[in-house]
């Protein structure tokens, strides 16, 4: 079974993330969406909220599993027996950043990184932009799946 880990903080899940996961399930037997826990980072949404956003968005997709983890992504991949990391690329800066991480990961473990280009209609969306729109009471609903709609 081909499994891929899609790591991130997902603070919050965006339509860009959603698109990469939806396309990833056509390539892999399972996508493990892994929410990294970083104690030094301040999040807008709790770990439980972020996990629920993703679980609700993919409630009808049995090939998507949502987990949390701490530590190095490659170590987590080894722990759960995943040989691929799935990443989305929005722009050339993303590519340069992700390329360095992919090379480092491959040095640390036999893990391959698979890159998918984001869809043109979501390529401008970043979680940091969504958080800023939310903070300023803007209409963030065009940037996130329905599962992220706040009350």
């Amino acid at each position: 079974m081909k499994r891929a880990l899609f790591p991130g903080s997902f603070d919050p899940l965006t339509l860009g993330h959603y698109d990469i996961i939806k396309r990833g399930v056509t390539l892999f037997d399972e996508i493990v969406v892994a929410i990294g826990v970083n104690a030094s980072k301040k999040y807008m949404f709790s770990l439980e909220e972020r996990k629920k956003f993703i679980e609700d968005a993919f409630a009808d997709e049995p090939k998507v599993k949502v987990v949390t983890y701490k530590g190095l992504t490659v170590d987590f991949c080894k722990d759960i027996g995943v040989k691929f990391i799935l990443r989305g690329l929005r722009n050339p800066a993303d590519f340069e950043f992700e390329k360095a991480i992919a090379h480092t990961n491959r040095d640390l473990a036999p893990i391959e990184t698979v890159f998918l280009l984001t869809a043109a209609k979501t390529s401008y969306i970043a979680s940091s932009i969504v958080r800023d729109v939310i903070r300023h009471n803007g209409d963030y609903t065009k940037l996130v799946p329905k599962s992220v709609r706040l009350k």
Side-chain angles (χ1 to χ4, degrees):
M1 173 166 32
K2 279 195 211 166
R3 300 167 67 216
L5 189 86
F6 185 53
S9 59
F10 306 103
D11 189 32
L13 177 71
T14 70
L15 288 176
H17 297 130
Y18 183 86
D19 175 64
I20 295 295
I21 296 165
K22 286 296 271 188
R23 290 167 46 217
V25 297
T26 68
L27 303 171
F28 294 97
D29 299 312
E30 182 178 67
I31 301 290
V32 179
V33 181
I35 306 169
V37 177
N38 182 342
S40 64
K41 195 170 178 182
K42 183 159 172 54
Y43 298 103
M44 177 175 271
F45 298 97
S46 71
L47 183 61
E48 294 77 24
E49 287 173 307
R50 291 179 280 144
K51 190 170 188 237
K52 184 161 176 35
F53 291 155
I54 301 165
E55 288 171 340
D56 289 353
F58 293 97
D60 295 331
E61 180 48 75
K63 292 172 73 173
V64 175
K65 179 180 173 185
V66 186
V67 299
T68 62
Y69 75 103
K70 293 180 183 177
L72 290 176
T73 301
V74 289
D75 289 342
F76 185 64
C77 286
K78 289 190 291 188
D79 290 347
I80 66 170
V82 170
K83 297 189 183 316
F84 300 95
I85 294 174
L86 177 63
R87 299 297 294 159
L89 299 175
R90 293 174 297 187
N91 55 48
D94 278 358
F95 173 72
E96 290 302 326
F97 178 73
E98 294 291 345
K99 180 176 75 166
I101 293 171
H103 285 310
T104 303
N105 287 342
R106 202 168 339 134
D107 280 348
L108 297 174
I111 306 287
E112 284 296 335
T113 301
V114 176
F115 297 111
L116 291 180
L117 297 178
T118 56
K121 65 184 177 185
T122 62
S123 64
Y124 66 95
I125 303 172
S127 292
S128 58
I129 292 171
V130 174
R131 290 192 304 271
D132 200 43
V133 171
I134 291 169
R135 274 190 208 98
H136 292 92
N137 299 311
D139 183 8
Y140 64 92
T141 61
K142 298 172 188 168
L143 308 171
V144 297
K146 287 184 174 117
S147 65
V148 182
R149 308 291 161 84
L150 308 173
K151 294 165 178 62

